[in-house]
Amino acid sequence: VTRRSAVNRGGRPYRRLHARLRREVSVCHICGLPIDPSLRAPHPLSFSLDHIVPVSMGGALTDPDNVRPAHRICNMQRG
């Protein structure tokens, strides 16, 4: 049986990846503008992780090669 928290966005591996990229990267890969790390969700310009290959299409949730930093609004508009 797989623990639910280990495979969803609330799991420790995802939270660690999110925190690491938030500290290290400051530019949205979609629009190219800076991301203000002091902004928190649900602010539209807050930091979010954009999965290059969507998890619903088989992309890995916690693979660092499958995520890029993005503004929340840019990520939502990209779909």
Side-chain angles (χ1 to χ4, degrees), residues 6-55:
V7 295
N8 67 20
R9 285 171 173 78
R12 183 177 292 153
Y14 181 83
R15 289 191 319 263
R16 284 183 177 167
L17 177 62
H18 187 278
R20 191 187 89 210
L21 284 178
R22 185 182 188 125
R23 282 190 312 269
E24 294 175 358
V25 184
S26 61
V27 177
C28 175
H29 89 101
I30 298 170
C31 72
L33 296 175
I35 301 172
D36 182 351
S38 68
L39 298 175
R40 301 286 179 202
H43 193 284
L45 296 177
S46 65
F47 177 89
S48 72
L49 287 182
D50 180 29
H51 288 83
I52 305 306
V53 178
V55 176

